[in-house]
PDB file of all heavy atoms in Angstrom:
ATOM      1  N   PHE A   1      80.218  98.999 102.283  1.00 97.00           N
ATOM      2  CA  PHE A   1      79.455  98.482 103.431  1.00 97.00           C
ATOM      3  C   PHE A   1      77.997  98.603 103.159  1.00 97.00           C
ATOM      4  O   PHE A   1      77.544  99.259 102.206  1.00 97.00           O
ATOM      5  CB  PHE A   1      79.832  99.313 104.683  1.00 97.00           C
ATOM      6  CG  PHE A   1      79.469 100.778 104.604  1.00 97.00           C
ATOM      7  CD1 PHE A   1      78.181 101.250 104.962  1.00 97.00           C
ATOM      8  CD2 PHE A   1      80.361 101.663 104.067  1.00 97.00           C
ATOM      9  CE1 PHE A   1      77.914 102.592 104.952  1.00 97.00           C
ATOM     10  CE2 PHE A   1      80.092 103.018 104.008  1.00 97.00           C
ATOM     11  CZ  PHE A   1      78.885 103.475 104.420  1.00 97.00           C
ATOM     12  N   ARG A   2      77.215  97.859 103.936  1.00 96.00           N
ATOM     13  CA  ARG A   2      75.750  97.821 103.850  1.00 96.00           C
ATOM     14  C   ARG A   2      75.196  97.773 105.202  1.00 96.00           C
ATOM     15  O   ARG A   2      75.678  96.961 105.998  1.00 96.00           O
ATOM     16  CB  ARG A   2      75.294  96.700 102.973  1.00 96.00           C
ATOM     17  CG  ARG A   2      73.792  96.612 102.807  1.00 96.00           C
ATOM     18  CD  ARG A   2      73.456  95.746 101.602  1.00 96.00           C
ATOM     19  NE  ARG A   2      71.977  95.866 101.365  1.00 96.00           N
ATOM     20  CZ  ARG A   2      71.351  96.862 100.806  1.00 96.00           C
ATOM     21  NH1 ARG A   2      72.085  97.835 100.305  1.00 96.00           N
ATOM     22  NH2 ARG A   2      70.059  96.858 100.634  1.00 96.00           N
ATOM     23  N   LEU A   3      74.207  98.586 105.534  1.00 94.00           N
ATOM     24  CA  LEU A   3      73.431  98.501 106.791  1.00 94.00           C
ATOM     25  C   LEU A   3      72.035  98.023 106.417  1.00 94.00           C
ATOM     26  O   LEU A   3      71.214  98.731 105.840  1.00 94.00           O
ATOM     27  CB  LEU A   3      73.370  99.857 107.429  1.00 94.00           C
ATOM     28  CG  LEU A   3      74.725 100.486 107.773  1.00 94.00           C
ATOM     29  CD1 LEU A   3      74.520 101.914 108.340  1.00 94.00           C
ATOM     30  CD2 LEU A   3      75.540  99.663 108.689  1.00 94.00           C
ATOM     31  N   ASP A   4      71.813  96.699 106.607  1.00 93.00           N
ATOM     32  CA  ASP A   4      70.643  96.118 106.183  1.00 93.00           C
ATOM     33  C   ASP A   4      69.287  96.683 106.774  1.00 93.00           C
ATOM     34  O   ASP A   4      68.345  96.819 106.072  1.00 93.00           O
ATOM     35  CB  ASP A   4      70.606  94.601 106.369  1.00 93.00           C
ATOM     36  CG  ASP A   4      71.583  93.859 105.533  1.00 93.00           C
ATOM     37  OD1 ASP A   4      71.774  94.307 104.363  1.00 93.00           O
ATOM     38  OD2 ASP A   4      72.245  92.884 106.004  1.00 93.00           O
ATOM     39  N   GLY A   5      69.331  97.051 108.020  1.00 91.00           N
ATOM     40  CA  GLY A   5      68.132  97.621 108.631  1.00 91.00           C
ATOM     41  C   GLY A   5      67.538  98.821 107.808  1.00 91.00           C
ATOM     42  O   GLY A   5      66.427  98.784 107.312  1.00 91.00           O
ATOM     43  N   PRO A   6      68.330  99.879 107.667  1.00 91.00           N
ATOM     44  CA  PRO A   6      67.794 101.009 106.906  1.00 91.00           C
ATOM     45  C   PRO A   6      68.028 100.880 105.381  1.00 91.00           C
ATOM     46  O   PRO A   6      67.554 101.730 104.571  1.00 91.00           O
ATOM     47  CB  PRO A   6      68.582 102.239 107.422  1.00 91.00           C
ATOM     48  CG  PRO A   6      69.839 101.619 107.879  1.00 91.00           C
ATOM     49  CD  PRO A   6      69.529 100.200 108.384  1.00 91.00           C
ATOM     50  N   GLY A   7      68.718  99.830 104.948  1.00 93.00           N
ATOM     51  CA  GLY A   7      68.979  99.645 103.513  1.00 93.00           C
ATOM     52  C   GLY A   7      69.999 100.610 102.970  1.00 93.00           C
ATOM     53  O   GLY A   7      70.002 100.923 101.798  1.00 93.00           O
ATOM     54  N   LEU A   8      70.871 101.097 103.824  1.00 95.00           N
ATOM     55  CA  LEU A   8      71.874 102.024 103.414  1.00 95.00           C
ATOM     56  C   LEU A   8      73.139 101.315 102.882  1.00 95.00           C
ATOM     57  O   LEU A   8      73.659 100.340 103.483  1.00 95.00           O
ATOM     58  CB  LEU A   8      72.350 102.854 104.609  1.00 95.00           C
ATOM     59  CG  LEU A   8      73.397 103.985 104.359  1.00 95.00           C
ATOM     60  CD1 LEU A   8      72.863 105.095 103.493  1.00 95.00           C
ATOM     61  CD2 LEU A   8      73.884 104.532 105.639  1.00 95.00           C
ATOM     62  N   ALA A   9      73.619 101.646 101.711  1.00 97.00           N
ATOM     63  CA  ALA A   9      74.801 101.150 101.174  1.00 97.00           C
ATOM     64  C   ALA A   9      75.766 102.221 100.935  1.00 97.00           C
ATOM     65  O   ALA A   9      75.439 103.441 100.685  1.00 97.00           O
ATOM     66  CB  ALA A   9      74.540 100.445  99.786  1.00 97.00           C
ATOM     67  N   GLY A  10      77.142 101.988 100.992  1.00 97.00           N
ATOM     68  CA  GLY A  10      78.073 103.012 100.820  1.00 97.00           C
ATOM     69  C   GLY A  10      79.424 102.399 100.377  1.00 97.00           C
ATOM     70  O   GLY A  10      79.681 101.237 100.449  1.00 97.00           O
ATOM     71  N   VAL A  11      80.223 103.374  99.921  1.00 98.00           N
ATOM     72  CA  VAL A  11      81.578 103.008  99.531  1.00 98.00           C
ATOM     73  C   VAL A  11      82.499 104.210  99.907  1.00 98.00           C
ATOM     74  O   VAL A  11      82.098 105.359  99.770  1.00 98.00           O
ATOM     75  CB  VAL A  11      81.666 102.720  97.985  1.00 98.00           C
ATOM     76  CG1 VAL A  11      81.254 103.888  97.123  1.00 98.00           C
ATOM     77  CG2 VAL A  11      83.135 102.243  97.648  1.00 98.00           C
ATOM     78  N   VAL A  12      83.661 103.955 100.396  1.00 98.00           N
ATOM     79  CA  VAL A  12      84.637 104.905 100.680  1.00 98.00           C
ATOM     80  C   VAL A  12      85.712 104.859  99.594  1.00 98.00           C
ATOM     81  O   VAL A  12      86.297 103.783  99.339  1.00 98.00           O
ATOM     82  CB  VAL A  12      85.268 104.733 102.050  1.00 98.00           C
ATOM     83  CG1 VAL A  12      86.395 105.740 102.322  1.00 98.00           C
ATOM     84  CG2 VAL A  12      84.202 104.936 103.137  1.00 98.00           C
ATOM     85  N   LEU A  13      85.928 105.949  98.901  1.00 98.00           N
ATOM     86  CA  LEU A  13      86.911 106.053  97.869  1.00 98.00           C
ATOM     87  C   LEU A  13      88.048 106.924  98.319  1.00 98.00           C
ATOM     88  O   LEU A  13      87.829 107.860  99.069  1.00 98.00           O
ATOM     89  CB  LEU A  13      86.274 106.636  96.588  1.00 98.00           C
ATOM     90  CG  LEU A  13      85.036 105.946  96.095  1.00 98.00           C
ATOM     91  CD1 LEU A  13      84.375 106.796  94.987  1.00 98.00           C
ATOM     92  CD2 LEU A  13      85.433 104.566  95.542  1.00 98.00           C
ATOM     93  N   GLU A  14      89.242 106.609  97.854  1.00 97.00           N
ATOM     94  CA  GLU A  14      90.462 107.361  98.288  1.00 97.00           C
ATOM     95  C   GLU A  14      91.288 107.775  97.103  1.00 97.00           C
ATOM     96  O   GLU A  14      91.528 106.986  96.188  1.00 97.00           O
ATOM     97  CB  GLU A  14      91.252 106.526  99.263  1.00 97.00           C
ATOM     98  CG  GLU A  14      92.476 107.334  99.897  1.00 97.00           C
ATOM     99  CD  GLU A  14      93.112 106.470 100.959  1.00 97.00           C
ATOM    100  OE1 GLU A  14      93.845 105.519 100.596  1.00 97.00           O
ATOM    101  OE2 GLU A  14      92.951 106.850 102.169  1.00 97.00           O
ATOM    102  N   HIS A  15      91.765 109.010  97.114  1.00 96.00           N
ATOM    103  CA  HIS A  15      92.715 109.536  96.111  1.00 96.00           C
ATOM    104  C   HIS A  15      94.110 109.144  96.523  1.00 96.00           C
ATOM    105  O   HIS A  15      94.446 109.020  97.690  1.00 96.00           O
ATOM    106  CB  HIS A  15      92.575 111.074  96.052  1.00 96.00           C
ATOM    107  CG  HIS A  15      93.340 111.676  94.918  1.00 96.00           C
ATOM    108  ND1 HIS A  15      94.619 112.077  95.061  1.00 96.00           N
ATOM    109  CD2 HIS A  15      92.942 111.938  93.665  1.00 96.00           C
ATOM    110  CE1 HIS A  15      94.997 112.636  93.909  1.00 96.00           C
ATOM    111  NE2 HIS A  15      94.040 112.520  93.064  1.00 96.00           N
ATOM    112  N   PRO A  16      95.061 109.031  95.545  1.00 95.00           N
ATOM    113  CA  PRO A  16      96.426 108.694  95.895  1.00 95.00           C
ATOM    114  C   PRO A  16      97.046 109.717  96.889  1.00 95.00           C
ATOM    115  O   PRO A  16      97.969 109.345  97.669  1.00 95.00           O
ATOM    116  CB  PRO A  16      97.160 108.712  94.534  1.00 95.00           C
ATOM    117  CG  PRO A  16      96.100 108.373  93.527  1.00 95.00           C
ATOM    118  CD  PRO A  16      94.829 108.979  94.107  1.00 95.00           C
ATOM    119  N   ASP A  17      96.574 110.969  96.907  1.00 92.00           N
ATOM    120  CA  ASP A  17      97.062 111.913  97.866  1.00 92.00           C
ATOM    121  C   ASP A  17      96.506 111.821  99.283  1.00 92.00           C
ATOM    122  O   ASP A  17      96.868 112.566 100.147  1.00 92.00           O
ATOM    123  CB  ASP A  17      96.823 113.343  97.346  1.00 92.00           C
ATOM    124  CG  ASP A  17      97.727 113.687  96.155  1.00 92.00           C
ATOM    125  OD1 ASP A  17      98.726 112.980  95.997  1.00 92.00           O
ATOM    126  OD2 ASP A  17      97.348 114.609  95.396  1.00 92.00           O
ATOM    127  N   GLY A  18      95.521 110.923  99.462  1.00 93.00           N
ATOM    128  CA  GLY A  18      94.982 110.672 100.748  1.00 93.00           C
ATOM    129  C   GLY A  18      93.598 111.197 101.034  1.00 93.00           C
ATOM    130  O   GLY A  18      92.941 110.835 102.015  1.00 93.00           O
ATOM    131  N   TRP A  19      92.984 112.097 100.251  1.00 94.00           N
ATOM    132  CA  TRP A  19      91.731 112.553 100.478  1.00 94.00           C
ATOM    133  C   TRP A  19      90.706 111.484 100.164  1.00 94.00           C
ATOM    134  O   TRP A  19      90.885 110.693  99.304  1.00 94.00           O
ATOM    135  CB  TRP A  19      91.447 113.928  99.829  1.00 94.00           C
ATOM    136  CG  TRP A  19      91.519 114.010  98.355  1.00 94.00           C
ATOM    137  CD1 TRP A  19      92.627 114.319  97.614  1.00 94.00           C
ATOM    138  CD2 TRP A  19      90.358 113.801  97.398  1.00 94.00           C
ATOM    139  NE1 TRP A  19      92.276 114.315  96.276  1.00 94.00           N
ATOM    140  CE2 TRP A  19      90.925 114.061  96.130  1.00 94.00           C
ATOM    141  CE3 TRP A  19      89.118 113.497  97.567  1.00 94.00           C
ATOM    142  CZ2 TRP A  19      90.192 113.915  94.997  1.00 94.00           C
ATOM    143  CZ3 TRP A  19      88.348 113.366  96.400  1.00 94.00           C
ATOM    144  CH2 TRP A  19      88.830 113.572  95.154  1.00 94.00           C
ATOM    145  N   ARG A  20      89.555 111.535 100.935  1.00 96.00           N
ATOM    146  CA  ARG A  20      88.566 110.464 100.702  1.00 96.00           C
ATOM    147  C   ARG A  20      87.169 111.088 100.454  1.00 96.00           C
ATOM    148  O   ARG A  20      86.855 112.173 100.906  1.00 96.00           O
ATOM    149  CB  ARG A  20      88.414 109.664 102.050  1.00 96.00           C
ATOM    150  CG  ARG A  20      89.593 108.768 102.233  1.00 96.00           C
ATOM    151  CD  ARG A  20      89.436 107.949 103.515  1.00 96.00           C
ATOM    152  NE  ARG A  20      90.396 106.822 103.576  1.00 96.00           N
ATOM    153  CZ  ARG A  20      90.308 105.807 104.369  1.00 96.00           C
ATOM    154  NH1 ARG A  20      89.264 105.663 105.167  1.00 96.00           N
ATOM    155  NH2 ARG A  20      91.196 104.853 104.330  1.00 96.00           N
ATOM    156  N   LEU A  21      86.378 110.267  99.776  1.00 97.00           N
ATOM    157  CA  LEU A  21      85.048 110.630  99.407  1.00 97.00           C
ATOM    158  C   LEU A  21      84.196 109.419  99.762  1.00 97.00           C
ATOM    159  O   LEU A  21      84.463 108.319  99.356  1.00 97.00           O
ATOM    160  CB  LEU A  21      84.908 110.969  97.921  1.00 97.00           C
ATOM    161  CG  LEU A  21      83.574 111.300  97.398  1.00 97.00           C
ATOM    162  CD1 LEU A  21      83.142 112.668  97.990  1.00 97.00           C
ATOM    163  CD2 LEU A  21      83.551 111.440  95.886  1.00 97.00           C
ATOM    164  N   GLU A  22      83.121 109.625 100.549  1.00 97.00           N
ATOM    165  CA  GLU A  22      82.183 108.516 100.924  1.00 97.00           C
ATOM    166  C   GLU A  22      80.925 108.742 100.152  1.00 97.00           C
ATOM    167  O   GLU A  22      80.242 109.792 100.265  1.00 97.00           O
ATOM    168  CB  GLU A  22      81.966 108.528 102.409  1.00 97.00           C
ATOM    169  CG  GLU A  22      81.006 107.370 102.854  1.00 97.00           C
ATOM    170  CD  GLU A  22      80.765 107.473 104.380  1.00 97.00           C
ATOM    171  OE1 GLU A  22      80.722 108.554 104.947  1.00 97.00           O
ATOM    172  OE2 GLU A  22      80.695 106.376 104.941  1.00 97.00           O
ATOM    173  N   LEU A  23      80.546 107.751  99.349  1.00 97.00           N
ATOM    174  CA  LEU A  23      79.289 107.826  98.624  1.00 97.00           C
ATOM    175  C   LEU A  23      78.273 106.941  99.370  1.00 97.00           C
ATOM    176  O   LEU A  23      78.619 105.816  99.742  1.00 97.00           O
ATOM    177  CB  LEU A  23      79.456 107.349  97.146  1.00 97.00           C
ATOM    178  CG  LEU A  23      80.461 108.131  96.336  1.00 97.00           C
ATOM    179  CD1 LEU A  23      80.611 107.476  94.946  1.00 97.00           C
ATOM    180  CD2 LEU A  23      80.110 109.608  96.230  1.00 97.00           C
ATOM    181  N   LEU A  24      77.078 107.492  99.566  1.00 96.00           N
ATOM    182  CA  LEU A  24      76.033 106.760 100.307  1.00 96.00           C
ATOM    183  C   LEU A  24      74.752 106.728  99.457  1.00 96.00           C
ATOM    184  O   LEU A  24      74.418 107.735  98.820  1.00 96.00           O
ATOM    185  CB  LEU A  24      75.743 107.482 101.611  1.00 96.00           C
ATOM    186  CG  LEU A  24      76.899 107.655 102.599  1.00 96.00           C
ATOM    187  CD1 LEU A  24      76.661 108.779 103.509  1.00 96.00           C
ATOM    188  CD2 LEU A  24      77.190 106.308 103.233  1.00 96.00           C
TER     189      LEU A  24
END
């Protein structure tokens, strides 16, 4: 995703076991 106003970009990553990591 991208929020153009603040210029924030991110990605949500998921492990096969279901835990997630969001990088911003």
